[in-house]
């Protein structure tokens, strides 16, 4: 635009006109920016995931991402590799620790019994259908076998703390808690250029150290896959699991049963791997997905309040194991202790509390599912997404 001063006007008039033109340009730009922001706000949908610890919020977020924005999950896939490794190492360490505890306890019991045959030893309360104790007549043989496996697995188990530190970005958590705790942006710390397949680029120091740890864990898992399988299949571990003395995270069997695949040099986590991993989150994690619904792209923002881990729906398993609901919820009374009746009771109870407590008269939709069941959960996500979108359209005045 030409702001040259014509000869027939004064300097004052020239500067006044120039200022007016600049002001008009600025006004137009502000109007366009306001319209752009208003349009963006109309297409922005915010969803907060709330729930108690281990209720499956993070797993639901991943299911949501898998359903609506699977391409973003594909981009993040390399960053989940160290998390899978960490879950495997944690399961191995917990198994070996529990075996050591069991060995020590029963060895001491046998020693007391040998010193005083008439001594009364503590007998665990258990049904007669439980399998025999881990340590029986084959005590020494079992200890020797587990000791040999422990020696072979020591190099890989020793990497647990290193991976936890890298995933946590080197930040410790107060209160003496150990393990991997991640905050928003954690994936950038472990996804270096090498993890994405570009060896020409240099990773930052923290990313470089993380990648070195991941590669070391991969190589060590590959070299110890056979003893890992031997430990997981050992009769002592099976007896601990059957007696419910070994309480691993629910995803541990999934990973240990797939150790051959995980130990492959070119291992890349599958969707099931990503859904099964357990990783503690701290703070509020924001996840943004551009979602096309009805030909219109909406910017969905999911907020996951940290401090929880995903967990599968255990109701059927607990009922099948003979656990009585009325023992813990007296109001359940003498209703049948089967899934259909129990789930109906919980559904009715939640809806009753909602009607009594919700002053805003919001709609409540109750669904029973496992966060690890992709088909069932994504069917729910599709239905919930439509409900949220309809409410959003009504609120912004497009209905």
């Amino acid at each position: 635009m030409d702001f040259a001063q014509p000869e027939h006007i004064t300097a004052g008039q020239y500067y006044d006109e120039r200022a007016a033109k600049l002001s008009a340009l600025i006004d137009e730009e502000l109007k366009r920016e306001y319209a752009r922001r208003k349009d963006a706000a109309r297409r922005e949908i915010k969803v907060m995931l709330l729930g108690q610890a281990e209720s499956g919020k993070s797993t639901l977020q991943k299911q949501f991402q898998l359903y609506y924005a699977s391409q973003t999950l594909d981009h993040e896939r390399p960053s989940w590799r160290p998390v899978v490794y960490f879950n495997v190492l944690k399961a191995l360490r917990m198994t070996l620790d529990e075996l050591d505890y069991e060995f020590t306890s029963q060895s001491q019991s046998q020693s007391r019994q040998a010193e005083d045959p008439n001594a009364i030893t503590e007998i665990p309360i258990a049904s007669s259908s439980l399998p025999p104790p881990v340590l029986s007549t084959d005590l020494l043989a079992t200890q020797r076998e587990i000791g040999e496996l422990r020696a072979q697995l020591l190099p890989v188990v020793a990497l647990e703390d290193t991976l936890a530190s890298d995933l946590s970005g080197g930040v410790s958590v107060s209160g003496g808690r150990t393990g991997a705790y991640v905050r928003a942006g954690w994936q950038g710390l472990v996804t270096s250029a090498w993890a994405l397949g570009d060896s020409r680029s240099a990773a930052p120091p923290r990313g470089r150290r993380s990648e070195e740890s991941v590669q070391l864990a991969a190589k060590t898992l590959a070299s110890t896959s056979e003893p890992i399988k031997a430990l997981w299949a050992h009769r002592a571990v099976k007896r601990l699991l059957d007696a419910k003395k070994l309480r691993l995270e629910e995803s541990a069997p999934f990973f240990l049963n797939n150790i051959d695949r995980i130990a492959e040099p070119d291992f890349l986590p599958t969707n099931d791997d990503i859904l099964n991993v357990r990783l503690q989150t701290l703070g509020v994690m924001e996840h943004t997905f551009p979602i096309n619904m009805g030909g219109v792209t909406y910017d969905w923002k999911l907020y996951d309040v940290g401090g929880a881990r995903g967990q599968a729906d255990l109701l059927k398993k607990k009922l099948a194991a003979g656990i009585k609901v009325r023992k813990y919820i007296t109001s359940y009374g003498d209703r049948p202790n089967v899934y259909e009746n129990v789930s109906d009771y919980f559904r009715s109870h939640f809806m009753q509390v909602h009607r009594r407590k919700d002053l805003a008269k919001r709609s409540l939709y109750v669904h029973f599912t496992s966060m690890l069941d992709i088909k069932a959960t994504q069917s729910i996500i599709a239905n919930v997404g439509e409900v949220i979108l309809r409410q959003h359209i009504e609120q912004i005045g497009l209905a």
Side-chain angles (χ1 to χ4, degrees):
M1 181 174 291
D2 185 10
F3 289 107
Q5 178 181 351
E7 296 180 356
H8 63 278
I9 64 173
T10 65
Q13 291 175 322
Y14 165 72
Y15 286 112
D16 286 344
E17 290 182 6
R18 184 181 181 186
K21 291 178 179 179
L22 285 173
S23 177
L25 287 174
I26 293 173
D27 288 342
E28 287 298 320
E29 182 62 28
L30 289 175
K31 289 179 181 179
R32 285 194 294 269
E33 177 65 15
Y34 174 76
R36 187 190 66 79
R37 289 177 177 269
K38 185 176 180 180
D39 182 65
R42 292 160 69 96
R43 298 173 185 268
E44 185 177 88
I45 300 176
K46 296 181 179 180
V47 179
M48 181 170 286
L49 303 178
L50 300 174
Q52 63 185 23
E54 301 190 6
S55 60
K57 299 189 297 296
S58 297
T59 309
L60 177 59
Q61 173 268 312
K62 287 182 283 189
Q63 287 275 22
F64 199 99
Q65 186 177 1
L66 179 62
Y67 183 79
Y68 282 117
S70 59
Q71 72 281 359
T72 64
L73 196 64
D74 289 336
H75 179 73
E76 296 174 359
R77 207 172 292 277
S79 67
W80 290 102
R81 203 169 152 226
V83 186
V84 172
Y85 292 158
F86 174 77
N87 277 243
V88 172
L89 304 189
K90 183 178 180 181
L92 291 174
R93 189 256 307 160
M94 292 177 67
T95 301
L96 291 170
D97 286 351
E98 187 58 39
L99 283 168
D100 282 349
Y101 175 81
E102 194 70 20
F103 286 142
T104 301
S105 298
Q106 295 196 26
S107 293
Q108 292 175 348
S109 177
Q110 288 188 2
S111 297
R112 289 193 298 268
Q113 192 72 15
E115 293 173 1
D116 184 3
N118 297 320
I120 299 177
T121 58
E122 182 179 351
I123 301 176
I125 301 175
S127 65
S128 59
S129 61
L130 282 179
V134 171
L135 306 181
S136 54
T137 56
D138 61 347
L139 169 61
L140 295 179
T142 302
Q143 283 183 309
R144 183 172 60 254
E145 293 166 3
I146 296 299
E148 292 174 355
L149 290 174
R150 170 182 280 279
Q152 297 176 64
L153 295 174
L154 184 60
V156 69
V157 175
L159 294 173
E160 180 187 358
D161 289 341
T162 302
L163 279 179
S165 177
D166 288 341
L167 288 170
S168 303
V171 178
S172 60
V173 180
S174 61
R177 291 181 291 172
T178 59
Y181 295 85
V182 300
R183 295 172 174 82
W186 68 269
Q187 289 162 314
L189 298 175
V190 297
T191 306
S192 69
W194 295 316
L196 295 176
D198 186 358
S199 59
R200 297 169 299 177
S201 301
R206 167 63 64 179
R208 186 179 301 116
R209 290 196 297 271
S210 299
E211 181 60 20
E212 290 173 354
S213 300
V214 173
Q215 296 300 342
L216 179 59
K219 292 179 181 178
T220 311
L221 277 173
S223 64
T224 57
S225 61
E226 290 304 319
I228 290 175
K229 290 190 291 184
L231 177 69
W232 184 236
H234 198 280
R235 61 188 181 281
V237 175
K238 297 302 181 186
R239 289 175 183 172
L240 279 178
L241 290 170
D242 291 341
K244 294 181 173 55
K245 291 187 176 181
L246 177 56
R247 299 186 180 278
L248 300 173
E249 291 183 330
E250 290 172 60
S251 59
F254 171 82
F255 290 120
L256 293 175
N257 287 331
N258 284 276
I259 194 63
D260 282 333
R261 176 175 60 82
I262 294 172
E264 288 290 329
D266 58 350
F267 166 69
L268 197 62
T270 65
N271 291 339
D272 285 334
D273 292 331
I274 295 174
L275 291 175
N276 275 279
V277 292
R278 297 294 176 263
L279 187 64
Q280 287 275 25
T281 56
L282 298 175
V284 178
M285 310 280 279
E286 179 184 292
H287 307 273
T288 302
F289 310 118
I291 298 174
N292 189 288
M293 304 183 74
V296 179
T297 299
Y298 292 90
D299 187 22
W300 285 62
K301 296 183 182 295
L302 266 67
Y303 297 92
D304 176 8
V305 180
R309 294 175 293 175
Q311 187 179 44
D313 181 9
L314 298 178
L315 183 57
K316 289 184 179 178
K317 291 182 179 179
K318 290 184 179 293
L319 294 175
I323 295 178
K324 302 296 183 182
V325 175
R326 66 171 178 266
K327 179 181 178 180
Y328 304 94
I329 305 176
T330 55
S331 61
Y332 189 73
D334 294 326
R335 296 177 178 87
N337 202 69
V338 295
Y339 175 76
E340 289 74 16
N341 296 84
V342 174
S343 59
D344 284 343
Y345 171 82
F346 284 136
R347 180 185 291 106
S348 300
H349 183 73
F350 276 111
M351 296 184 72
Q352 182 182 14
V353 172
H354 173 75
R355 285 194 297 269
R356 187 170 64 249
K357 299 290 186 178
D358 184 42
L359 301 179
K361 304 300 181 182
R362 295 169 296 181
S363 300
L364 172 66
Y365 302 90
V366 181
H367 301 277
F368 284 88
T369 187
S370 163
M371 290 296 102
L372 299 178
D373 187 329
I374 295 179
K375 184 177 181 181
T377 302
Q378 292 193 351
S379 175
I380 294 173
I381 286 175
N383 294 334
V384 172
E386 291 177 2
V387 171
I388 293 175
L389 181 59
R390 285 199 299 269
Q391 292 177 346
H392 175 74
I393 291 175
E394 292 176 0
Q395 290 172 359
I396 63 176
L398 293 182

